[in-house]
Amino acid sequence: MSWPFLYFADERLSAAELSAARLDGDLVEIGEGYMPTDAVETRELRAGSLRTRIPATLALTRASAAWIHGAVADPPPRHIVQRTAPRRGNYVRDLRLDYRDQRIAPADVLWITGVAVTTPARTLADLVRDLHAGEATLPLIDAMLAWRPELAAATADALDAGAALHYKRPAVRFLRARVRTT
């Protein structure tokens, strides 16, 4: 499928032509493709730029989802994906992807231009739970809350009402404290 604002190597232009257009200042890189320099970078363009890399059985999560939604400016060095299919498939062998095998519920997934991405609330919940697991996600959490401050309360409520998850209780306490300070 051809997209008016996304260019991929060997679809309409060769990799050499795309690189030359980037050097001339006509195109900029976005995800796995290029877009015109005067186009507005939207979540649809960010998600669409990864459509050749992310199969329908996987969803972008955590830092990757925060980038797709527009909470952070730069994509992570490795995109974080998680299984959406009910059954385990073949193991993902791509050094540019960080694969997590636990299934994401369909209610926690948005489809943006044919690419599955976790909802903003699920993205924030995963980042806060990862913080308590020892990962350095505080800058991403701050970016998500600066992007949409009301997300803290909604995410805390969703976690509280949801099924059992690792680090759920400390995540809810963290988010409730953030609601009180804003």
Side-chain angles (χ1 to χ4, degrees), residues 63-123:
S64 298
W67 174 67
I68 294 289
H69 290 303
V72 295
D74 297 318
R78 293 180 68 199
H79 286 288
I80 302 130
V81 294
Q82 201 162 335
R83 179 171 58 93
T84 58
R87 293 192 196 118
R88 290 183 174 139
N90 294 336
Y91 179 76
V92 175
R93 292 187 182 114
D94 189 336
L95 295 176
R96 294 179 282 179
L97 298 179
D98 181 359
Y99 176 74
R100 297 176 186 227
D101 194 43
Q102 186 177 7
R103 182 178 186 227
I104 295 179
D108 291 332
V109 174
L110 294 173
W111 288 89
I112 304 171
T113 59
V115 177
V117 181
T118 53
T119 63
R122 173 62 192 251
T123 301

Side-chain angles (χ1 to χ4, degrees), residues 50-60 79 81 97 114-116:
L50 297 174
R51 69 180 160 85
T52 59
R53 171 85 29 228
I54 309 299
T57 57
L58 298 176
L60 290 158
H79 286 288
V81 294
L97 298 179
V115 177

Side-chain angles (χ1 to χ4, degrees), residues 7 11 16 29 40 42 48-49 68 86 88 103 106 123-124 151 162 172:
Y7 300 92
E11 278 190 359
E29 293 173 295
V40 176
T42 63
S49 73
I68 294 289
R88 290 183 174 139
R103 182 178 186 227
T123 301
L124 181 60
L151 206 52
V172 170

Side-chain angles (χ1 to χ4, degrees), residues 6-180:
L6 283 175
Y7 300 92
F8 297 95
D10 299 325
E11 278 190 359
R12 289 182 276 179
L13 301 169
S14 69
E17 290 170 316
L18 289 172
S19 294
R22 186 182 60 78
L23 289 173
D24 289 343
D26 296 328
L27 298 176
V28 293
E29 293 173 295
I30 180 171
E32 297 289 316
Y34 297 86
M35 67 181 228
T37 54
D38 58 350
V40 176
E41 187 175 324
T42 63
R43 71 182 192 153
E44 287 77 14
L45 284 176
R46 287 187 290 271
S49 73
L50 297 174
R51 69 180 160 85
T52 59
R53 171 85 29 228
I54 309 299
T57 57
L58 298 176
L60 290 158
T61 66
R62 294 167 168 78
S64 298
W67 174 67
I68 294 289
H69 290 303
V72 295
D74 297 318
R78 293 180 68 199
H79 286 288
I80 302 130
V81 294
Q82 201 162 335
R83 179 171 58 93
T84 58
R87 293 192 196 118
R88 290 183 174 139
N90 294 336
Y91 179 76
V92 175
R93 292 187 182 114
D94 189 336
L95 295 176
R96 294 179 282 179
L97 298 179
D98 181 359
Y99 176 74
R100 297 176 186 227
D101 194 43
Q102 186 177 7
R103 182 178 186 227
I104 295 179
D108 291 332
V109 174
L110 294 173
W111 288 89
I112 304 171
T113 59
V115 177
V117 181
T118 53
T119 63
R122 173 62 192 251
T123 301
L124 181 60
D126 287 342
L127 291 171
V128 173
R129 289 177 35 245
D130 286 350
L131 177 68
H132 293 287
E135 295 186 32
T137 58
L138 191 56
L140 292 169
I141 294 166
D142 290 340
M144 289 284 295
L145 293 176
W147 172 61
R148 290 188 45 197
E150 73 281 359
L151 206 52
T155 302
D157 292 342
L159 274 172
D160 227 4
L165 293 169
H166 292 294
Y167 304 105
K168 174 182 167 176
R169 288 185 189 136
V172 170
R173 281 193 302 271
F174 177 89
L175 289 167
R176 298 256 187 246
R178 285 293 178 105
V179 170
R180 284 190 287 271

